[in-house]
Amino acid sequence: MLGAVAGGVQGASAGELANQLFGAHRAPSAQPPAVVGAYARGCAAGLVELAETGPGWQAMRLGRNRNWGHPQTIAFIKDLAGAAQSIGWRGIYVGDISQPRGGPMTSGHTSHQTGLDVDIWMLPPARLNLSRAERESISSISVRTADQRSVNANWTAQHHALLRAAALDVRVDRIFVAAAVKIEMCRTAARADRAWLQKIRPFSGHNTHFHVRMRCPADSPLCETQTPTVADLSNGGDGCDETLMWWVTDYLDPPPPDPDAPAPPPRRHPRSFTMADLPAQCGAVLTAR
Ligand SMILES: [Zn+2]
């Protein structure tokens, strides 16, 4: 699977809903690991399973079968579990990664399609021997106030240290958090140690988990790098600027709409994607044994 991403799966499955086809697979493709396409429009071959329980982590919501990732993602998660222990946590609770072959999901996320996105719970693990049933019923905690403008008493210096460790990892492209989290990190980060803050990106939600997005791995020429880069978004700085504050001002209290503004282009949720909307190479990932 070399060369450019070819547009649109052709043939019998072209008109079928991609999330139904990818969501039905219980196992990865028996192919070398390779990411195809973009985080919110793609799939992945040869994904590997994050063990349900390991030294320093537990995968949550096992019933969803979304503990599958590119080997680079799985290696990162294991390292982050070690980092969590070195900052005083027992480890980490790991939320969704991807379906066994990636692809659009049957519910929830728009991204998480290529084995390169992983959600880490804000809840510090009290134990790492949760049963399957407990992993379905326990919920994470919010680290944000109800008005969305600041962090609450659940936020700790360990959260900051864990996010810093994740951002310093060269395999990580960016990390999505609630704006209130980034604002607090901007306020408290050491003046001489801020370059990594560029990777911490404000986004809606993300108050009960943070979302780590890995870079395109070297084995995946068909993986589409996200643009703009975090350096572009931050003008080379730490992103502690007016674009961050927008999330706690105009985003929460929108100014009246400009009646002359053109209507924004309609956006399709990946749940409506057919196979023809995915890179052609995803057809082979779907049908591989
Ligand atoms: Zn996520």
Side-chain angles (χ1 to χ4, degrees), residues 96 109 111-112 117-119 206 209-211:
D96 286 356
H109 313 278
S111 65
H112 288 256
D117 291 296
V118 55
D119 291 338
H206 297 85
H209 70 267
F210 60 93
H211 173 145

Side-chain angles (χ1 to χ4, degrees), residues 271-286:
R271 271 194 295 278
S272 72
F273 286 177
T274 64
M275 290 301 291
D277 293 314
L278 294 186
Q281 290 87 349
C282 287
V285 172
L286 185 73

Side-chain angles (χ1 to χ4, degrees), residues 225 234 280:
T225 299
S234 312

Side-chain angles (χ1 to χ4, degrees), residues 25-48:
H25 269 297
R26 308 310 293 169
S29 69
Q31 297 172 302
V35 169
V36 178
Y39 301 94
R41 190 188 288 267
C43 63
L47 293 184
V48 295

Side-chain angles (χ1 to χ4, degrees), residues 83-89 122 124 154-165 185 210:
Q85 293 179 327
S86 66
I87 56 137
W89 282 16
M122 294 290 193
N154 290 330
W155 176 257
T156 64
Q158 283 78 24
H159 286 93
H160 180 105
L162 185 62
L163 277 157
R164 176 177 175 273
M185 295 181 80
F210 60 93

